[in-house]
Amino acid sequence: EPVDMVALLNRKLVSQPVERRAMPRVEIRCDVFVKFAENLSSAALRNISAGGLQLEGDELPPVGTYISVFVEGLNIPPGEVIWRRGNLAGIEVFEELSWTSIIPWIRTAIRKDVPMTGPPSGRG
């Protein structure tokens, strides 16, 4: 079923407090790979915005760690873990993601609804 991404983003913007509306977040669940230092582990992406993302996983690094996140079909700039709560972490990316890259990726991810099955190749 088609998803109207503009309407979805507008609803998200309106429902958030004023101070958070500059960076709307889109809730999405998909598998990602997280690389920090010499570690490569799997995690779940919970939401994404132009400025960062929220991850869920058992092997996430502590606050202050520089991190790379790999997901099929979207180039996510490196970032830093800025908060941790249990198995959740907030990642602020060093370079903003553009909505012109996020929106098509979300459309594809919703259509596919298939988790990534192996680590990224040729990246790192």
Side-chain angles (χ1 to χ4, degrees), residues 7-63:
L8 175 65
L9 285 174
N10 284 336
R11 281 195 303 276
K12 290 286 184 189
L13 279 173
V14 169
S15 68
Q16 291 188 11
V18 173
E19 66 275 8
R20 303 219 34 205
R21 291 184 186 171
M23 290 288 181
R25 286 170 170 60
V26 176
E27 302 290 326
I28 187 161
R29 297 282 194 266
C30 69
D31 293 338
V32 298
F33 286 95
V34 178
K35 185 175 185 338
F36 56 99
E38 299 299 316
N39 303 302
L40 181 68
S41 61
S42 60
L45 176 65
R46 293 174 50 101
N47 67 50
I48 189 166
S49 74
L53 41 115
Q54 184 183 88
L55 299 177
E56 180 177 8
D58 295 327
E59 300 176 35
L60 297 174
V63 170

Side-chain angles (χ1 to χ4, degrees), residues 63-79:
V63 170
T65 304
Y66 292 161
I67 188 173
S68 294
V69 177
F70 302 98
V71 63
E72 183 180 349
L74 183 63
N75 185 19
I76 300 174

